[in-house]
Amino acid sequence: MNCQIKRSRRGNYSGSSPIQTDQSSGFDKPIVMLATSPGPGGGNTVLKLAEAAAPFFNGKVVGSLSVPSFFDNFDVDRGELTNSDLVEKLEQVLSAFAFETQPA
């Protein structure tokens, strides 16, 4: 399920705009949620709200990661995380996703 969530200026996704889902992708698929911001919170508030809302849209969250202080932890030119702790956490999240998406 693909979701598009519009972010409001309050650090929250807008309650007035519906979450749009891609019906053709099916339901009950595992998903990973990522969030970031230039500040120390890393979009954690909206990430937690999205994680809590996912089951109502038949989403199965198998992992999530909040990346705080984006410009301190991500090299824009190389397109990669520079913080080794965050790299390790991302690898764990992606491993859990890979495990959940393996054919039975």
Side-chain angles (χ1 to χ4, degrees), residues 5-8 10-15 17 19 46 49-50 53 57:
I5 300 177
K6 294 183 179 180
R7 185 179 187 278
S8 76
R10 296 183 308 272
N12 194 343
Y13 60 90
S14 173
S17 65
I19 296 176
V46 74
L49 289 169
F57 298 95

Side-chain angles (χ1 to χ4, degrees), residues 40-104:
N44 200 43
T45 300
V46 74
L47 178 62
K48 294 299 178 195
L49 289 169
E51 284 180 282
F56 296 103
F57 298 95
N58 294 320
K60 180 183 177 188
V61 180
V62 296
S64 65
L65 178 65
S66 171
V67 177
S69 306
F70 178 78
F71 296 105
D72 294 335
N73 292 306
F74 190 85
D75 185 322
V76 177
D77 294 328
R78 292 190 337 224
E80 60 188 36
L81 286 170
T82 57
N83 180 310
S84 60
D85 291 335
L86 291 172
V87 169
E88 183 177 332
K89 289 177 184 176
L90 179 60
E91 288 172 351
Q92 291 171 355
V93 166
L94 294 177
S95 291
F97 180 73
F99 178 78
E100 289 290 328
T101 57
Q102 289 180 4

